[in-house]
């Protein structure tokens, strides 16, 4: 297993650590773990492309690791009342549709592996930034403001608005992805 794939697997291994922090409301720790896991997404892709270490496993595992990480975080944000269940359904619907399309493409003659496109990358970056904003924002406001509840409310409102922006970009990303690869849907048996 090459270094980029090891970084992808590290991202998956950090998910339970993030979960422990989030469930115990250790917001700063959750933010740090999530940010570290998110950075592995940048580095695995950068190293893979720069060192010509792009693999079919990486094309499959990298977006899967992203989906697991971000979906887990959005579930906790939904439990905190920040992320609307509608937003989460849009995210999950897109991820299931794209994953299904990838399976169809892999089973097509010649077995094509479809890598993430620019919209998918933008969606992932916006998701990760939104999650980091929420966890770090709540932590910073609790630590530095005299009335953390009123300032935390601002972070919560901004985070909720960002979640809806994520839903919009996620929907556009999914539509473009499905439309751009519709030949696999049309030729599926």
């Amino acid at each position: 297993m090459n270094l980029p794939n090891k970084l992808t697997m590290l991202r998956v291994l950090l998910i339970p650590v993030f979960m422990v922090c989030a469930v115990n409301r250790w917001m700063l720790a959750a933010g740090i773990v999530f940010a570290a896991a998110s950075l592995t997404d940048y580095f695995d892709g950068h190293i893979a492309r720069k060192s010509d270490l792009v693999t079919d496993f990486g094309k499959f595992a990298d977006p899967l690791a992203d989906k697991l990480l971000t979906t887990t975080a959005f579930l906790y944000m939904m439990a905190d009342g920040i992320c609307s269940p509608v937003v989460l359904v849009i995210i999950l619907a897109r991820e299931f549709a794209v994953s299904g399309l990838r399976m169809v493409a892999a089973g097509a003659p010649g077995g094509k592996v479809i890598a993430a496109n620019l919209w998918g990358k933008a969606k992932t970056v916006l998701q990760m930034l939104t999650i980091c904003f929420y966890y770090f924002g709540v932590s910073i406001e609790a630590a530095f403001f005299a009335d953390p509840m009123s300032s935390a409310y601002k972070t919560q409102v901004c985070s909720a608005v960002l979640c809806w922006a994520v839903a919009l970009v996620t929907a556009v990303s999914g539509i473009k992805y499905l439309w751009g690869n519709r030949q696999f849907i049309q030729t599926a048996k």
Side-chain angles (χ1 to χ4, degrees), residues 2-189:
N2 63 28
L3 179 59
N5 291 340
K6 288 178 182 175
L7 288 171
T8 297
M9 296 312 298
L10 174 61
R11 184 159 63 257
V12 172
L13 293 174
L14 285 173
I15 294 169
V17 178
F18 167 78
M19 291 171 67
V20 168
C21 295
V23 78
N24 286 298
R25 308 284 303 154
W26 303 332
M27 302 301 264
L28 181 58
I32 290 169
V33 171
F34 185 88
S38 297
L39 284 174
T40 67
D41 184 38
Y42 168 76
F43 286 116
D44 68 5
H46 179 73
I47 293 167
R49 286 184 296 277
K50 184 178 177 185
S51 304
D52 196 29
L53 296 172
V54 176
T55 64
D56 284 345
F57 175 80
K59 289 179 190 177
F60 169 77
D62 178 66
L64 180 61
D66 295 342
K67 289 173 174 89
L68 291 171
L69 177 66
T70 57
T71 302
T72 300
F74 280 117
L75 282 168
Y76 281 102
M77 289 173 69
M78 188 179 77
D80 288 348
I82 302 303
C83 180
S84 166
V86 174
V87 170
L88 190 57
V89 167
I90 291 169
I91 291 168
L92 290 173
R94 187 260 185 213
E95 302 308 352
F96 281 122
V98 168
S99 295
L101 180 62
R102 283 188 171 137
M103 285 190 276
V104 169
K112 181 170 181 183
V113 175
I114 304 173
N117 62 20
L118 184 61
W119 277 94
K121 291 175 191 272
K123 176 243 351 154
T124 300
V125 168
L126 183 57
Q127 287 178 346
M128 290 178 173
L129 289 175
T130 297
I131 294 162
C132 286
F133 176 83
Y134 172 65
Y135 282 98
F136 285 120
V138 169
S139 300
I140 290 167
E141 289 174 344
F144 293 107
F145 292 97
D147 183 11
M149 289 311 292
S150 66
S151 53
Y153 178 75
K154 293 174 187 170
T155 296
Q156 292 170 353
V157 169
C158 289
S159 297
V161 170
L162 284 170
C163 284
W164 283 103
V166 163
L168 178 64
V169 172
T170 299
V172 170
S173 162
I175 291 165
K176 291 189 76 57
Y177 195 91
L178 293 170
W179 182 257
N181 294 288
R182 65 190 176 280
Q183 72 273 15
F184 294 109
I185 298 169
Q186 294 168 344
T187 59
K189 294 181 180 181

